[in-house]
Amino acid sequence: MITIIVLIVVGIILFFHAAKAPLLHARSHVTTVAENSAGFHNINHFYSSNLNQTYYSVGGYDKQNQYAYAILPKNGKSMQVVTQKNGINQQEAERAAQKIGKATKIINTGLAIYQNKPAWVVSYWNQNKRLNYVTVDYKTGKIVQTINNL
């Protein structure tokens, strides 16, 4: 009986490890690209968003020692770098989503490119326990897209 329980626990651990592997690989890849291509260092945040396309991004310090974000589409074609001083941060994007959508729980927040501009994509549960997305323009903090009650 103990052997069966141990095998079940090991199986569950292996399952969750395998499920996280693609995201861990993406984090490592975008971190390496940001360090090598944009001179990032002290990277301390990783984001992923998947609305119309999958984007991975990291937050850290650029060559000028300013806090910045590097945004890379999953296909890896073109990285965009934006500095924090020229836009809103994650918490401000989440506050915008909570105001407009009456979010009860934020599920994920990540940087993406929307209509060729950087944007925060916030997914959340509303008070009716329905999935919603809000896209917030990085520079202005204005809501540019909402998808409600999925």
Side-chain angles (χ1 to χ4, degrees):
M1 188 68 160
I2 293 174
T3 304
I4 293 172
I5 293 172
V6 168
L7 287 174
I8 290 172
V9 169
V10 168
I12 291 170
I13 291 169
L14 289 174
F15 173 79
F16 283 109
H17 180 70
K20 284 185 169 185
L23 199 56
L24 293 173
H25 175 71
R27 181 181 189 149
S28 175
H29 176 69
V30 73
T31 297
T32 300
V33 170
E35 289 171 341
N36 294 339
S37 299
F40 269 53
H41 60 94
N42 294 350
I43 293 173
N44 57 6
H45 283 92
F46 171 75
Y47 305 95
S48 73
S49 65
N50 189 3
L51 190 52
N52 298 322
Q53 179 180 345
T54 301
Y55 287 91
Y56 302 114
S57 51
V58 291
Y61 293 88
D62 63 12
K63 292 177 185 175
Q64 289 76 35
N65 235 12
Q66 294 181 1
Y67 199 80
Y69 301 102
I71 307 166
L72 186 69
K74 185 177 182 178
N75 65 21
K77 289 196 175 178
S78 61
M79 181 176 62
Q80 187 165 345
V81 175
V82 293
T83 58
Q84 176 61 69
K85 71 178 183 177
N86 292 329
I88 65 169
N89 63 31
Q90 176 184 353
Q91 291 77 20
E92 291 168 311
E94 290 173 355
R95 279 195 294 272
Q98 287 174 322
K99 277 184 189 176
I100 194 168
K102 297 182 179 150
T104 58
K105 181 177 182 182
I106 302 292
I107 299 167
N108 185 54
T109 305
L111 281 164
I113 303 299
Y114 178 76
Q115 296 182 343
N116 297 317
K117 296 178 184 175
W120 289 99
V121 177
V122 182
S123 58
Y124 63 91
W125 297 115
N126 67 9
Q127 43 202 7
N128 298 329
K129 296 184 171 77
R130 302 295 298 258
L131 179 62
N132 299 267
Y133 290 89
V134 172
T135 306
V136 183
D137 185 272
Y138 179 78
K139 290 188 179 187
T140 66
K142 293 182 181 177
I143 306 294
V144 293
Q145 179 187 38
T146 59
I147 301 173
N148 296 316
N149 296 316
L150 297 176

